[in-house]
Amino acid sequence: MSDENLGSVQYGRPSQVPFGSLTGGAPQQHQVRHRQLNNPSGTAASAAAAAGVPAASSSRPRATSDYGSIRASALHQARLRIESDVDCVSYAPDVTVEGTERQRLVDNSGEWYFESQHAVSGEELLSAKFESLDYDTCENSLWAAEDQSRTVWDLRRIELCRWLVHLLIGVVTGAIAFFIDVCIEQLAKVKYRYMKSMLDRCIFHDCLIYALLLWIAFNFIFVLIASCLTVFGEPVAAGSGIPQIKCFLNGIQVPRVVRLRTLVCKVLGVLFSVVGGLAVGKEGPMIHSGSVVGAGLSQGRAASFKFDLGIFEYFRTDAEKRDFVSGGAAAGVAAAFGAPVGGVLFALEEGASFWNQGLTWRIFFSSMTSSFTLAFLLGFYRGIPNDLSNPGLISFGKFDKLDYDLLHLAIFACMGVVGGLSGALFNTLNEHLTKFRHRYVTSKLGQLTEAVLVASITAVTSFVLIYTVRSCQPLGSDQMEYPVQMYCPDGKFSSMAALLFQTPEAAVRSLLHDPVGTYSVTGLIAFCLPYLLIATWTYGVMVPSGLFIPSLLIGAAWGRGVGIGLNLLFPTHFTDPGKFALIGAAAQLGGIVRMTISLSVILIEATGNVLFGLPIMVVLMVAKWVGDYFGTGIYDMHIELASVPLLPWEPPSRSAAVSAQAVMSSPVTCLYRQERVSRIVEILRAEPHNGFPVVSGDLGPGTFGTFEGLVTRNQLICLLDMRLFDDGDPNFHLENPVSLSDFRRVYPRFPSVRQLQLSEADLMKSVDLGRYMNPAPYMVLHTCSLARIFRLVRGLGLRHLVVIDHRNQVVGMVTRKDLARFRATHTGDLKELQFTG
Amino acid sequence: MSDENLGSVQYGRPSQVPFGSLTGGAPQQHQVRHRQLNNPSGTAASAAAAAGVPAASSSRPRATSDYGSIRASALHQARLRIESDVDCVSYAPDVTVEGTERQRLVDNSGEWYFESQHAVSGEELLSAKFESLDYDTCENSLWAAEDQSRTVWDLRRIELCRWLVHLLIGVVTGAIAFFIDVCIEQLAKVKYRYMKSMLDRCIFHDCLIYALLLWIAFNFIFVLIASCLTVFGEPVAAGSGIPQIKCFLNGIQVPRVVRLRTLVCKVLGVLFSVVGGLAVGKEGPMIHSGSVVGAGLSQGRAASFKFDLGIFEYFRTDAEKRDFVSGGAAAGVAAAFGAPVGGVLFALEEGASFWNQGLTWRIFFSSMTSSFTLAFLLGFYRGIPNDLSNPGLISFGKFDKLDYDLLHLAIFACMGVVGGLSGALFNTLNEHLTKFRHRYVTSKLGQLTEAVLVASITAVTSFVLIYTVRSCQPLGSDQMEYPVQMYCPDGKFSSMAALLFQTPEAAVRSLLHDPVGTYSVTGLIAFCLPYLLIATWTYGVMVPSGLFIPSLLIGAAWGRGVGIGLNLLFPTHFTDPGKFALIGAAAQLGGIVRMTISLSVILIEATGNVLFGLPIMVVLMVAKWVGDYFGTGIYDMHIELASVPLLPWEPPSRSAAVSAQAVMSSPVTCLYRQERVSRIVEILRAEPHNGFPVVSGDLGPGTFGTFEGLVTRNQLICLLDMRLFDDGDPNFHLENPVSLSDFRRVYPRFPSVRQLQLSEADLMKSVDLGRYMNPAPYMVLHTCSLARIFRLVRGLGLRHLVVIDHRNQVVGMVTRKDLARFRATHTGDLKELQFTG
């Protein structure tokens, strides 16, 4: 900035400025345009006092004595203008806009006002808890300087670090999966062996009630541990974590979702909830765990433990972190299902919006490494070290022969319809339960009680099932580890007990691969219905709980039932019920979660059979179409219930006539290039917003200052924290060089404005925002349609989009919340087509 | 527009306009800012005469008499300004720009000038042949009206049509694949049966030379047919078509690439080139064929045959067409390799930039349908109807057992290195050959001669190989259809002849699955080297030719050689050479084409083995890394050689300090909202550009008119063709309603401006561009960095990006060619990192 501006920071200015002063080459004077919406007294001094900072006027006589009266009148005018903003968007009536264009603006203003009235509640609803992430790069002068200072070798080093981090993500995620696998196996072995011997003894001694009590006790204790870890340890570790990761990748900062503490609680919690006999799987939590690993390793530190390696500092931005979280999620899927390609597709289908080839390769690398690590460790554990092709990778056992014809395909499609219906039922029940839970089960004690209640009821139901459904099958070439005889004759065992005396994952394997005749149709139906209800209840209880395995189990049960039934009707056909179990499993899972591509690939990889891909795809498609008729998938449903401003893939239909003005937030608080510290502090305290446009030029009726750039709250806080107060001194930045590293160091936990320790003298100084602002953020004209804005924000992962008028003056801002809010208030009229989901 | 403006189209205006006239609510006057760079006389009249339209001044006395003198001086000023543009970007020296900002602009101007000097040759080089596609929606008032008029049922119908078209794409692509498969099978049967009997006879009668001549004759005739189809039928059908489709999906209009004529020539051509014994496969051409099917079916017409169904009219935009072409490409891969998931990933890895969940599902649906159709038809053809799980889907035979350990993995990685090196060699040789061919083999006769020469030499080489390499193997449980005895004792056959007496695809299958001991190391090496050279030569010859199969064959040969060699060294280990053949095939193909994810999945699906996925991925990654060290993949290499302005995935490294001003084209020809027909015609004739910003307000030194919107050449031509001349009459549009359909009807073959039949009276009328322009196209500030511009253009598939200054005045335009050109002129300094490819 030129020297003449030193210290001439002003708080207002007459609105009528001769045109010549802008074009005549005179040095610009910089003002603050400060919106005192909550300060009806209308003077800057009282505003400053109200906001808790010393009033500028009292401590800086020169500024006030020079411009005091002008300031007061300018502020008064500004207030008037702000109020008129609300009435007519952004064009004060005395501004000339061309013919038709103006007509349209005036026509729209009424509607906009209506919008803004509705918006208040929507905003509060949506913004209470969730901040947005910013996946855009702030391309300020520091960034340019850093970019210029890099050699080709620096770039190579960063690239190498990226690959290295992805490698580490794969290794660590694979190791975690191994840890969970082995712990569950060992704990389940203890539990079921003890239970079996108890049951076997009690059948003869008529002490079945003690066996039941023992079972309840086992479940109670394990689930209590899991629930304590979640409720007292980290509540965000509850559930599968997939909705949270989906939100994170979409650009929403779900608090504490990728912290180390969350990881620990999730991993230990899922162990105990699976062993506790709940209708849950470890797959969803594995995906969440992988994501935390990705976020943690890429930052090279763990804030929960005040531990900082100081490496990978370059990756401390939202955009870089997102990439590693995608890699972690993919690695999680790869480890959970032995499906590396499925992992990549999961990360893409559920998360990423901008497809980047290089990133996808790295995600793929994480997935591969994770699969490899798990296979390698499992090989050692199972005593066949060095054999990487062991079936550890294949979660659901390998099918040797799966043939099908057109008739099969037709039946499978019908099963897809059943899966869609049953999935919709599951989701609807779960939705009501979740609403109930949000309202009534809010205390920690209540949550713990619910968890152990579910655990006990699961045990009781299982026991009743085993006791009542007396389907006996001969002991044969089956896979049961603990065949329970119950009331069956010698040499036979209770197939129901076999199904319930193992973890749900093992039960799925049994249903897919047990020989013909192991289960009866009645037994499967008797198992299926209560299990569906229990699983519905379980998803949402305060324990880490995956949804994939219970869904697959329910589906496999009724699918196998269908297969057996068909075989009874046509004894020469349909001899392989396992095939139908697989299709049923796919149908049920597809009906609940509504994924198609990644789920197809996951199932293909998890069963090791490529040939059966086509029927699986058909079933998933049908299940999705049918289910979408009744509502969204379960993850989206939970995201909606949590009022998260998730942006869908496509802009709302028929949004062409909705313009930026109807969507944007207005008025916007703007800053000047050379800005006084006390003003910045005041604004940061008074305003919840994150992005502030930087403007120059004139204020007054109908003029909003020329848009120059955008500065974010975090940048401002860093500036203040580092005391980069130059007071217009051109040599200041030479003497106090800062780099982007200084900003990244505090990422992502920037101090709040109230934590800043600024002296009175500091507050009187000024900052040159020009160096730190983004000089060319994305922006649109106010005539832009909602569809276009949506595509821009969604496609590039923006947090702020500045709306300008035809004079390049800031008239509004569009953020993720504006888009989400707009959608929320328009559900009737502009609701999205559910046909494609 | 207001009535006062009727007929007051002016060609200039005093540059000093009082500020009040803009803000005082007076009706705006509209001018044309016309750049007469090639017209040094400086008057509008002579300019119009030079451009071949009647001069406005002579036929419209009112306009000239009123404004004549003013116009002349304004034009003179404009000319001065234009010249100063070239010197100092966009800011005339008398415009005040703020302190540092101005400094930067002035500093940059020298560099920009340097750029613009370089740019001329780059532009000519890049733009000679290729137009860009526009994947953005023009959101004008017609679009808004159409959008508003749609009911929910219309939206559902469009969505249903989308799925229907994707279904049809799958069915037709599958049927084409079936046709090619069966024809090749039948023709090859005739050829090789005849050859075998000839050879068997000639061994005894010593007439081998006649057998050779017969072989040459076969190859000569088949390849001559294929080459004639390409050279005289449709030259763009040559090669694999994958580079062309990659360009299309990237946003480049490769002429005639998705026409029906191309499809016919490609399909018939590839038949004959495969049967003609060339080292080619049908896979690449299948992908191209699928893409043509996608483009054709979605438009509901075939322009080559003047055939229009009139359906799917809504899909006649670049963006919609692109989606269907993606679906077609995926369906092609699915049919070619029996790899539906691989198809989806191929479409994404090679083509799409913006990942859209709904689109991906539809692409997946096309892939599935295509696989299904092919399996269904092949089932019928092979006499096992109704069995969809027959191995027709699996192209390379099914592996039953593929185990591996760490040692294997290490060996595979080394093979990946070999594949990368060998692929780089292949690409380098092919690059030199292609350059040679571009220079010397340009006549049709030359191209035909080269094709038949390659065919003959292939036959001779094969014959010499069979004759000299006398590795005899016992007739056993092999898969050879035509075992040739040659000089082998009875009960044995020549393994070399077996390899060469089938199509390359069948040969790959043999190398993967033939029992241990079928081939010798020396035989494989003797086969491998000449085949590599021939394949290098073949790719680029004017016949449809896929590269996948020859690459896989070369790799499988040396891979099997490695396996046999290892087994000789360690007789108890490495007993399965087929495993090594598969890895070698993957390594070689990965080294040549440098795809990883889609190729992994394609190979996994084509061999039906999920467990072997990890080694394949490792090998492909290693081969890619090694190969990338020496240069790009073969498709990218061919795209570069063709000077296509392909945009890579990432912006150039270290481009932070490069601003929009250095990249943009300037000056830009702008139009006014109410524009005279003669002006439009003149501009369209004189300028090659496609997008014209619409501006309002003042012209003069340092003022460029306020940016209002963007209108494209095609829109202008349609407007003129439909004679939508309103002359400012507000009732005109009520009396002459047009809709977007009228514009889509002529898509994509808009008439040229010279084909328009406009009368003298027409030329005097004026058009309201406000209705047709895009009122809020994407735009950036002139301070925007190259990286940001790149991400915007690449991410959203834009054709034009308007650059504005801080007053919202148009200072430049950035198009794909500007970005590509910028990259081309900066290869030394800003070359992209090749580490990630």
Side-chain angles (χ1 to χ4, degrees), chain A residues 1 19 22-25 28 30 94 96 98 100-101 136-137 139 143-144 147-148 150 155-156 159-160 163 340-341 345 348-349 352-357 360-361 364-365 368 372 376 386-389 394 402-406 409 596-597 600-601 605 608 610-611 614 617-618 621 624-625 649-650 653-657 673 696 706-708 774-781 783-785 787-788 791-792 795-796 804-806 808 833 835-836, chain B residues 19 22-25 28 30 96 98 100-101 136-137 139 143-144 147-148 150 155-156 159-160 163 340-341 345 348-349 352-357 360-361 364-365 368 372 376 386-389 394 400 402-406 409 594 596-597 600-601 605 608 610-611 614 617-618 621 624-625 649-650 653-657 673 696 706-708 774-781 783-785 787-788 791-792 795-796 804-806 808 833 835-837:
Chain A
M1 306 312 303
F19 188 60
L22 276 176
T23 53
Q28 291 274 265
H30 303 278
D94 59 339
T96 304
E98 280 185 49
T100 51
E101 193 62 27
D136 189 26
T137 318
E139 305 189 333
W143 174 76
D147 189 78
Q148 282 300 90
R150 284 215 186 94
L155 294 174
R156 279 182 199 276
E159 194 57 34
L160 202 66
W163 283 94
V341 179
L345 285 170
L348 291 168
E349 188 170 1
S353 62
F354 183 68
W355 167 277
N356 179 308
Q357 206 186 30
T360 317
W361 284 334
F364 192 43
F365 185 63
M368 269 169 46
F372 174 83
F376 185 77
N386 215 8
D387 182 10
L388 300 174
S389 53
I394 301 294
L402 284 169
D403 51 350
Y404 60 95
D405 55 22
L406 270 187
L409 218 54
T596 54
I597 310 167
S600 307
V601 178
E605 291 189 284
V610 173
L611 277 180
L614 187 65
M617 294 170 207
V618 170
M621 278 280 191
K624 182 180 158 50
W625 282 335
W649 291 91
E650 293 280 352
S653 314
R654 297 203 291 155
S655 55
R673 254 167 186 268
S696 67
T706 303
F707 177 51
E708 299 251 319
N774 188 347
Y778 294 110
M779 60 189 183
V780 292
L781 279 175
T783 48
C784 191
S785 76
R788 181 170 291 262
R791 268 191 290 266
L792 193 61
L796 300 174
I804 59 167
D805 66 9
H806 278 136
N808 191 30
L833 263 187
F835 194 77
T836 53
Chain B
F19 187 58
L22 276 174
T23 54
Q28 291 272 267
H30 304 278
T96 304
E98 278 184 51
T100 53
E101 193 62 26
D136 189 25
T137 318
E139 305 190 331
W143 174 77
D147 189 79
Q148 283 300 92
R150 286 215 184 93
L155 293 174
R156 277 182 199 276
E159 194 57 33
L160 204 65
W163 283 93
V341 179
L345 284 171
L348 291 167
E349 189 171 359
S353 62
F354 184 69
W355 166 277
N356 178 309
Q357 206 185 32
T360 316
W361 283 334
F364 192 41
F365 186 62
M368 270 170 47
F372 174 82
F376 185 78
N386 216 8
D387 183 9
L388 300 174
S389 55
I394 301 294
D400 280 331
L402 285 170
D403 51 351
Y404 60 96
D405 54 23
L406 270 186
L409 219 53
R594 313 282 163 76
T596 53
I597 309 167
S600 308
V601 179
E605 291 189 284
V610 173
L611 277 180
L614 185 65
M617 294 169 208
V618 169
M621 279 278 190
K624 183 179 157 49
W625 282 335
W649 291 92
E650 294 281 352
S653 314
R654 297 201 291 152
S655 55
R673 252 166 189 270
S696 67
T706 302
F707 177 51
E708 298 252 318
N774 188 345
Y778 294 110
M779 60 190 181
V780 292
L781 281 174
T783 48
C784 191
S785 76
R788 181 169 290 261
R791 269 191 288 267
L792 192 61
L796 301 173
I804 59 169
D805 65 9
H806 278 136
N808 191 30
L833 263 189
F835 195 76
T836 53

Side-chain angles (χ1 to χ4, degrees), chain B residues 56-322:
Chain B
S57 53
S58 57
S59 56
R60 204 96 194 271
R62 188 185 137 204
T64 40
S65 65
D66 284 4
Y67 299 97
S69 61
I70 296 173
R71 200 186 65 226
S73 79
L75 254 186
H76 183 64
Q77 283 184 355
R79 223 156 42 86
L80 284 177
R81 189 179 42 64
I82 290 160
E83 281 158 20
S84 77
D85 273 351
V86 180
D87 289 323
C88 97
V89 192
S90 55
Y91 279 93
D94 59 340
V95 182
T96 304
V97 189
E98 278 184 51
T100 53
E101 193 62 26
R102 182 183 188 176
Q103 199 55 42
R104 199 135 70 85
L105 286 171
V106 176
D107 286 351
N108 280 351
S109 64
E111 189 192 305
W112 178 82
Y113 185 68
F114 173 80
E115 280 307 314
S116 108
Q117 291 299 78
H118 272 255
V120 178
S121 62
E123 166 78 5
E124 280 164 1
L125 187 75
L126 290 167
S127 66
K129 208 168 147 191
F130 304 106
E131 285 282 311
S132 286
L133 296 165
D134 195 351
Y135 292 153
D136 189 25
T137 318
C138 175
E139 305 190 331
N140 58 17
S141 59
L142 300 182
W143 174 77
E146 185 177 89
D147 189 79
Q148 283 300 92
S149 71
R150 286 215 184 93
T151 63
V152 171
W153 288 106
D154 286 334
L155 293 174
R156 277 182 199 276
R157 192 179 49 75
I158 290 172
E159 194 57 33
L160 204 65
C161 281
R162 273 205 192 100
W163 283 93
L164 182 66
V165 172
H166 276 280
L167 175 77
L168 288 175
I169 290 170
V171 171
V172 174
T173 308
I176 289 175
F178 171 72
F179 172 77
I180 295 178
D181 265 13
V182 170
C183 286
I184 289 180
E185 196 177 315
Q186 292 299 339
L187 283 173
K189 200 179 271 178
V190 171
K191 174 183 165 187
Y192 291 118
R193 191 186 294 154
Y194 206 74
M195 281 297 307
K196 176 185 147 60
S197 67
M198 184 84 175
L199 262 184
D200 283 349
R201 212 175 53 235
C202 280
I203 288 287
F204 293 105
H205 298 88
D206 215 15
C207 61
L208 277 179
I209 188 72
Y210 295 109
L212 172 61
L213 287 178
L214 179 71
W215 198 343
I216 293 176
F218 264 126
N219 281 15
F220 189 95
I221 292 167
F222 285 132
V223 172
L224 187 64
I225 299 174
S227 188
C228 284
L229 279 166
T230 315
V231 173
F232 300 110
E234 184 53 75
V236 84
S240 75
I242 292 178
Q244 285 86 343
I245 295 305
K246 194 171 170 174
C247 289
F248 186 93
L249 294 176
N250 192 273
I252 296 149
Q253 176 69 66
V254 182
R256 302 183 313 284
V257 76
V258 289
R259 298 247 173 117
L260 184 58
R261 187 189 173 96
T262 310
L263 176 66
V264 172
C265 293
K266 193 111 199 175
V267 168
L268 295 179
V270 76
L271 271 184
F272 288 107
S273 60
V274 170
V275 179
L278 292 183
V280 301
K282 61 184 172 50
E283 279 66 17
M286 259 320 298
I287 296 168
H288 188 178
S289 305
S291 305
V292 183
V293 169
L297 285 178
S298 65
Q299 306 297 298
R301 65 178 162 187
S304 310
F305 295 96
K306 308 231 181 304
F307 164 77
D308 191 341
L309 276 179
I311 53 170
F312 308 139
E313 175 254 319
Y314 178 75
F315 300 142
R316 292 179 188 175
T317 69
D318 283 347
E320 292 280 351
K321 199 163 151 186
R322 169 191 60 175

Side-chain angles (χ1 to χ4, degrees), chain A residues 365 368, chain B residues 409-421 587 590-591 594 596 615-629:
Chain A
F365 185 63
M368 269 169 46
Chain B
L409 219 53
I411 295 169
F412 295 163
C414 295
M415 290 173 72
V417 174
V418 176
L421 292 173
R594 313 282 163 76
T596 53
I616 288 179
M617 294 169 208
V618 169
V619 164
L620 286 173
M621 279 278 190
V622 172
K624 183 179 157 49
W625 282 335
V626 172
D628 278 352
Y629 185 79

Side-chain angles (χ1 to χ4, degrees), chain A residues 262-283:
Chain A
T262 310
L263 177 67
V264 172
C265 293
K266 193 110 200 177
V267 168
L268 295 179
V270 76
L271 271 183
F272 288 108
S273 60
V274 170
V275 179
L278 292 183
V280 301
K282 62 183 171 51
E283 279 67 16

Side-chain angles (χ1 to χ4, degrees), chain B residues 675-835:
Chain B
E675 189 60 84
R676 211 155 68 170
V677 175
S678 57
R679 269 309 116 194
I680 296 176
V681 170
E682 208 175 301
I683 287 171
L684 288 179
R685 290 193 179 202
E687 305 253 4
H689 300 120
N690 187 274
F692 301 95
V694 177
V695 298
S696 67
D698 230 30
L699 288 185
T703 56
F704 301 86
T706 302
F707 177 51
E708 298 252 318
L710 187 77
V711 69
T712 65
R713 168 177 289 264
N714 294 335
Q715 284 175 325
L716 291 173
I717 286 181
C718 283
L719 288 180
L720 299 182
D721 201 28
M722 290 191 267
R723 288 178 173 61
L724 297 172
F725 312 138
D726 62 348
D727 269 336
D729 176 9
N731 295 321
F732 176 83
H733 295 299
L734 293 174
E735 291 157 16
N736 300 275
V738 285
S739 73
L740 273 195
S741 302
D742 300 308
F743 287 83
R744 282 195 293 257
R745 198 161 296 132
V746 274
Y747 174 86
R749 301 189 190 180
F750 296 97
S752 92
V753 65
R754 307 210 176 266
Q755 291 172 290
L756 295 177
Q757 305 288 330
L758 294 174
S759 67
E760 290 279 312
D762 286 339
L763 288 175
M764 291 304 102
K765 292 184 172 157
S766 75
V767 180
D768 174 14
L769 297 181
R771 270 176 72 80
Y772 311 105
M773 72 180 185
N774 188 345
Y778 294 110
M779 60 190 181
V780 292
L781 281 174
H782 63 102
T783 48
C784 191
S785 76
L786 172 58
R788 181 169 290 261
I789 291 177
F790 188 96
R791 269 191 288 267
L792 192 61
V793 171
R794 178 74 170 93
L796 301 173
L798 306 186
R799 182 165 184 179
H800 314 101
L801 184 64
V802 178
V803 181
I804 59 169
D805 65 9
H806 278 136
R807 296 163 305 167
N808 191 30
Q809 300 203 339
V810 182
V811 294
M813 285 266 269
V814 176
T815 62
R816 159 185 300 274
K817 279 169 192 164
D818 295 312
L819 293 178
R821 181 177 64 207
F822 190 84
R823 219 181 138 226
T825 54
H826 273 74
T827 38
D829 189 22
L830 282 167
K831 197 177 176 186
E832 276 206 303
L833 263 189
Q834 292 299 337
F835 195 76

Side-chain angles (χ1 to χ4, degrees), chain B residues 233-541:
Chain B
E234 184 53 75
V236 84
S240 75
I242 292 178
Q244 285 86 343
I245 295 305
K246 194 171 170 174
C247 289
F248 186 93
L249 294 176
N250 192 273
I252 296 149
Q253 176 69 66
V254 182
R256 302 183 313 284
V257 76
V258 289
R259 298 247 173 117
L260 184 58
R261 187 189 173 96
T262 310
L263 176 66
V264 172
C265 293
K266 193 111 199 175
V267 168
L268 295 179
V270 76
L271 271 184
F272 288 107
S273 60
V274 170
V275 179
L278 292 183
V280 301
K282 61 184 172 50
E283 279 66 17
M286 259 320 298
I287 296 168
H288 188 178
S289 305
S291 305
V292 183
V293 169
L297 285 178
S298 65
Q299 306 297 298
R301 65 178 162 187
S304 310
F305 295 96
K306 308 231 181 304
F307 164 77
D308 191 341
L309 276 179
I311 53 170
F312 308 139
E313 175 254 319
Y314 178 75
F315 300 142
R316 292 179 188 175
T317 69
D318 283 347
E320 292 280 351
K321 199 163 151 186
R322 169 191 60 175
D323 291 355
F324 294 109
V325 169
S326 308
V333 176
F337 295 101
V341 179
V344 175
L345 284 171
F346 177 86
L348 291 167
E349 189 171 359
E350 286 298 297
S353 62
F354 184 69
W355 166 277
N356 178 309
Q357 206 185 32
L359 169 63
T360 316
W361 283 334
R362 291 194 297 273
I363 292 180
F364 192 41
F365 186 62
S366 287
S367 282
M368 270 170 47
T369 320
S370 165
S371 289
F372 174 82
T373 307
L374 178 63
F376 185 78
L377 293 174
L378 278 180
F380 263 101
Y381 172 71
R382 295 192 179 148
I384 38 169
N386 216 8
D387 183 9
L388 300 174
S389 55
N390 75 67
L393 268 182
I394 301 294
S395 305
F396 301 131
K398 197 169 178 225
F399 283 93
D400 280 331
K401 179 149 175 58
L402 285 170
D403 51 351
Y404 60 96
D405 54 23
L406 270 186
L407 178 63
H408 273 90
L409 219 53
I411 295 169
F412 295 163
C414 295
M415 290 173 72
V417 174
V418 176
L421 292 173
S422 146
L425 174 71
F426 184 100
N427 292 358
T428 311
L429 289 177
N430 191 265
E431 184 176 358
H432 287 291
L433 266 168
T434 308
K435 282 178 183 165
F436 178 86
R437 201 174 270 139
H438 279 185
R439 189 170 299 165
Y440 300 108
V441 191
T442 46
S443 70
K444 285 181 192 294
L445 191 66
Q447 290 167 342
L448 280 184
T449 312
E450 192 194 4
V452 293
L453 190 65
V454 171
S456 311
I457 287 182
T458 308
V460 172
T461 313
S462 305
F463 191 85
V464 171
L465 275 177
I466 296 176
Y467 188 78
T468 51
V469 181
R470 302 194 174 175
S471 68
C472 299
Q473 305 298 338
L475 274 167
S477 61
D478 45 59
Q479 305 182 350
M480 332 246 135
E481 248 179 297
Y482 306 106
V484 180
Q485 197 174 347
M486 285 297 286
Y487 295 113
C488 291
D490 286 351
K492 289 201 166 188
F493 68 95
S494 158
S495 62
M496 185 56 72
L499 214 52
L500 291 163
F501 259 61
Q502 47 189 346
T503 58
E505 194 175 327
V508 172
R509 223 164 11 231
S510 300
L511 284 171
L512 296 184
H513 296 290
D514 278 352
V516 181
T518 310
Y519 304 96
S520 67
V521 176
T522 47
L524 288 171
I525 292 172
F527 167 79
C528 198
L529 287 178
Y531 199 85
L532 176 74
L533 294 176
I534 287 178
T536 313
W537 188 8
T538 310
Y539 189 71
V541 165

